Amino acid sequence: MIERRLVDVLIIGGGPAGLSAARRLKNLGVESVLVCERKSVLGGTPLYSNHFGFGPTLTTGPFYAVKLIRDALKTEC
């Protein structure tokens, strides 16, 4: 069954850019933001890159991805 939803912004891709954009848009007051991801988990490439160098504190990829996911999910929807 196809679900139809009316949203203000549709973001394709649940990697760092998509999650950061969604969070920023919600913080700016955009009412309805939907992130679509083809994989079963959000986080993008950093989730699979277990080396340091991600984010402002230079953490590992998986840690950075989980932080982005948590930040996006705790933003009021």
Side-chain angles (χ1 to χ4, degrees), residues 41-68:
V41 293
L42 297 170
T45 300
L47 199 57
Y48 308 102
S49 303
N50 197 18
H51 58 80
F52 287 91
F54 291 90
T57 58
L58 299 179
T59 62
T60 65
F63 184 85
Y64 181 61
V66 169
K67 181 186 179 327
L68 287 172

Side-chain angles (χ1 to χ4, degrees), residues 23-38:
R23 183 166 184 230
R24 180 73 174 136
L25 287 165
K26 289 300 291 182
N27 287 336
L28 288 172
V30 176
E31 190 74 23
S32 175
V33 178
L34 177 64
V35 177
C36 290
E37 172 57 48
R38 69 178 167 184

